[in-house]
Amino acid sequence: MSKVLNFTRKDFEREQNLGKGLILVDFSANWCGPCKMLEKVLNNLSGRVDYRIARINVDEESELASELKIKSLPSMMILKDGEIIERLTGFMEDDEIEKIVKKVRKRESITNE
């Protein structure tokens, strides 16, 4: 993968209903300093991982953010085959994110065997 996707509510709902594989969804806002720092991390990360990364602007999709109980920024969710399996809050470096994704994958492989 080489690009962070910009998602709308419609994209997120489609991912929940039809999505296959792993996707990291970042909930952020243009005015949020830590979100801008995380944006750089995710842009770099997207070029070297085998899962998709998407961004949702909470100012443009405030209803969705409220429904998903996004209370602080930045927040991220990891979805596997459309199901939310992990929630992350706050700025993280790429190695922290990759560690969590690896743990999620190990947990999935144990439950799917």
Side-chain angles (χ1 to χ4, degrees), residues 84-96:
I84 300 167
I85 55 174
E86 190 74 44
R87 289 176 175 256
L88 313 169
T89 304
F91 174 79
M92 295 182 172
E93 294 288 350
D94 58 351
D95 60 333
E96 294 174 278

Side-chain angles (χ1 to χ4, degrees), residues 1-5 20-25 42 45-54 77-79 94-102 105:
M1 300 288 140
S2 63
K3 183 181 176 198
V4 174
L5 307 165
K20 296 290 180 205
L22 196 71
I23 184 167
L24 174 74
V25 182
L42 295 179
L45 190 59
S46 72
R48 61 179 204 266
V49 296
D50 64 348
Y51 53 90
R52 294 171 295 146
I53 299 175
M77 291 182 178
I78 300 173
L79 283 76
D94 58 351
D95 60 333
E96 294 174 278
I97 295 168
E98 289 200 76
K99 235 184 254 186
I100 292 168
V101 169
K102 283 180 185 175
R105 284 187 167 159

Side-chain angles (χ1 to χ4, degrees), residues 12 34 60 66 69 77 89 95:
F12 186 81
E60 295 170 4
S66 179
K69 297 178 176 43
M77 291 182 178
T89 304
D95 60 333

Side-chain angles (χ1 to χ4, degrees), residues 35-84:
C35 296
K36 289 190 181 294
M37 293 177 4
L38 183 60
E39 181 177 352
K40 291 177 185 176
V41 169
L42 295 179
N43 285 337
N44 290 331
L45 190 59
S46 72
R48 61 179 204 266
V49 296
D50 64 348
Y51 53 90
R52 294 171 295 146
I53 299 175
R55 180 173 296 111
I56 295 178
N57 184 315
V58 297
D59 289 331
E60 295 170 4
E61 299 293 347
S62 58
E63 268 187 48
L64 176 63
S66 179
E67 289 169 19
L68 294 171
K69 297 178 176 43
I70 303 296
K71 302 216 184 283
S72 61
L73 297 178
S75 287
M76 295 176 278
M77 291 182 178
I78 300 173
L79 283 76
K80 168 68 175 162
D81 297 333
E83 181 184 345
I84 300 167

